[in-house]
Amino acid sequence: METGHPSGESGPRASGMLTVYLLLLLVVPSNLTVVGLGSYGRPSMLWGLVLLGWWVLWRLQGGVMHSARHHQWTRIAMSLLVMVILVSFAHAMLRGQPADQISPALSALVRTASWSGVLLVAMDGLGGVDDVVRLVRRLVVLTGLVAALGLAQFLTQRPMLSWTALLPGFEAGADDFASRGVFARAVGTATHPLEFAAVVVGMLPMAVTAATTGGFRGGRPPRIRWWIPAAVAVVVALVSVSRSAIIGLVVAILASMPGMPVRARRIMGVSAVLAAAGVAVAVPGMASTVIGLFSGASEDPSTVSRTAALERVPEFLSASPLLGAGFGTFLPRYYIFDNQWALTLVELGVTGAVALAGVFAAAGWSAVVAARGLDPTGASVARAAAACLLTLAVLYAFFDALGFPMPAGLLFLVAGVCAALYRMSTPPGGSRRRDVDMNLHVRDST
């Protein structure tokens, strides 16, 4: 059930503004920045700041979305996370920091403001289920395009993005287009294979739901074109030569199934098995390489590094267990965790790790609850968004995700969508309560 727009009809405008953000986040390569701005010059981050300013002006002008809900738990969780980041920053600066850690800490604050703008505009600006559907359909299409580029990179063993260095006003940083064994590790428009995996696999539940619902069009038969993004994402994950991507793929598929019809679950399960078998046959050596990734995981340098990192968390946390070292101040020269949860614990302490987990939990819970009070279309989007959050939460354990623009931006965008759907949904007994209130109003008037 949709709620009305506030004065000014901000819903369609919010959808368009967030679409621009998606284009800058997923289409513009992550290593591309505005000349002279350095880490502050990523187009998606700058647009997130524009979104924050737009939201502030909208609220100052009296803009507010109607809601049958009394509390917006995602807003509370995000507010707590921002508060912890600010207090941790102040605590770190008062302790004194080396000169080369101050700029990363300030950059982290700017990134936090940008993420807040994305979440707030999605949460408060999307006016109805149609606005959400319009936005997530564009997200699915863009995810499919990023996956297709990654597949082309795998096949050609070339990054195919060298032309971006010629764009006026921009400068391209280094990317991590490399190989594992004889296979190229695709990055799409990301700077690292794991960032690419977080986009393709993390948004797979949205693509799968779009495929099984005909592009989130309730009552219409599925169309082949909506299966393409999901199919390409699955294939590119299977050839990613990445344990993290394979684990994320399994989580994404399992998380997507509860919201599917029984027939769609069977089709999805069979299709996944056939895709894995097809990749094994079509790409000689891929099956043995992937099996080797898991069978020899205990001796793999990256696995050994991650395990050793967890053992050192108490050592780095001991100086400030509650507030941590300060967001953005724990540089790679100290240690590389390859685990956002561990890094958050070190940088923001126990309170920060709990606050970040709270954003995931509050947004996911909001989506699950919203699915019970929306029409079938809205419910399918809500369940898919919750599955995306679960997949991202797992993938965050395999790399420092908040240090990369794509997985961080997608987290707060999807969390905002979950919060928007929660606002649009009708609580249990909501219709009855409105009828009682109306009857009381009529009786008082007479």
Side-chain angles (χ1 to χ4, degrees):
M1 180 175 180
E2 297 183 27
T3 59
H5 293 278
S7 59
E9 295 289 336
S10 68
R13 287 184 293 171
S15 178
M17 296 281 279
L18 291 169
T19 299
V20 174
Y21 178 76
L22 281 176
L23 289 169
L24 296 175
L25 184 69
L26 300 179
V27 176
V28 177
S30 289
N31 66 341
L32 209 64
T33 58
V34 177
V35 172
L37 293 182
S39 60
Y40 298 92
R42 286 195 171 96
S44 60
M45 187 186 75
L46 295 175
W47 191 253
L49 297 176
V50 171
L51 292 176
L52 178 60
W54 184 60
W55 179 85
V56 170
L57 290 175
W58 176 68
R59 290 305 298 263
L60 289 175
Q61 293 173 354
V64 61
M65 282 290 183
H66 302 295
S67 174
R69 304 285 184 176
H70 295 295
H71 299 289
Q72 182 56 274
W73 299 107
T74 305
R75 188 194 309 278
I76 295 172
M78 186 64 187
S79 299
L80 291 175
L81 177 61
V82 172
M83 187 181 303
V84 171
I85 290 174
L86 292 175
V87 173
S88 178
F89 172 82
H91 181 64
M93 293 301 108
L94 288 174
R95 287 199 318 268
Q97 297 292 320
D100 63 341
Q101 291 182 190
I102 296 177
S103 180
L106 292 172
S107 176
L109 290 185
V110 175
R111 283 187 282 126
T112 302
S114 178
W115 299 333
S116 301
V118 174
L119 186 145
L120 290 170
V121 170
M123 177 169 55
D124 294 335
L126 295 172
V129 172
D130 286 344
D131 292 330
V132 175
V133 169
R134 189 179 300 112
L135 180 65
V136 297
R137 290 179 74 183
R138 294 165 183 170
L139 172 59
V140 169
V141 171
L142 291 175
T143 300
L145 292 175
V146 171
L149 175 61
L151 187 58
Q153 291 172 337
F154 171 79
L155 295 174
T156 62
Q157 299 192 17
R158 295 181 178 179
M160 305 175 68
L161 292 173
S162 57
W163 57 271
T164 58
L166 303 177
L167 293 176
F170 292 90
E171 56 185 357
D175 57 34
D176 196 10
F177 186 79
S179 61
R180 176 172 279 173
V182 297
F183 300 108
R185 300 189 69 187
V187 296
T189 52
T191 56
H192 192 278
L194 291 178
E195 182 185 13
F196 172 69
V199 175
V200 173
V201 179
M203 297 300 105
L204 181 60
M206 283 291 189
V208 168
T209 305
T212 57
T213 59
F216 301 105
R217 299 297 187 185
R220 295 187 182 183
R223 297 181 178 180
I224 297 296
R225 68 182 183 185
W226 286 109
W227 280 99
I228 295 175
V232 175
V234 170
V235 171
V236 80
L238 290 172
V239 300
S240 63
V241 204
S242 169
R243 281 185 299 270
S244 305
I246 298 296
I247 293 172
L249 176 62
V250 173
V251 173
I253 292 175
L254 293 178
S256 302
M257 285 189 172
M260 295 182 185
V262 176
R263 183 170 178 270
R265 293 180 195 173
R266 294 171 181 170
I267 294 174
M268 186 65 193
V270 172
S271 300
V273 172
L274 291 177
V279 168
V281 173
V283 186
M286 178 59 70
S288 60
T289 300
V290 172
I291 293 173
L293 289 175
F294 290 93
S295 62
S298 60
E299 300 177 358
D300 184 80
S302 62
T303 303
V304 172
S305 175
R306 288 188 176 100
T307 304
L310 293 178
E311 296 174 354
R312 298 197 62 181
V313 167
E315 171 191 342
F316 292 116
L317 188 61
S318 60
S320 180
L322 289 179
L323 296 175
F327 192 37
T329 63
F330 195 83
L331 302 182
R333 71 163 180 259
Y334 298 120
Y335 207 85
I336 298 177
F337 281 103
D338 280 335
N339 183 329
Q340 184 58 56
W341 295 107
L343 182 59
T344 301
L345 194 60
V346 171
E347 288 192 329
L348 293 175
V350 175
T351 54
V354 171
L356 178 61
V359 173
F360 277 97
W365 178 84
S366 297
V368 171
V369 172
R372 303 170 187 166
L374 292 168
D375 59 31
T377 298
S380 65
V381 177
R383 286 190 290 264
C388 287
L389 286 176
L390 176 60
T391 307
L392 286 174
V394 173
L395 290 172
Y396 269 41
F398 296 106
F399 72 119
D400 49 332
L402 294 183
F404 295 90
M406 289 184 179
L410 288 175
L411 162 62
F412 294 103
L413 176 65
V414 174
V417 167
C418 292
L421 291 170
Y422 179 74
R423 170 176 50 79
M424 299 168 195
S425 64
T426 302
S431 298
R432 182 179 179 275
R433 282 199 296 271
R434 282 197 298 272
D435 293 340
V436 171
D437 292 342
M438 181 62 72
N439 291 335
L440 290 174
H441 176 72
V442 171
R443 188 173 61 189
D444 292 342
S445 299
T446 56

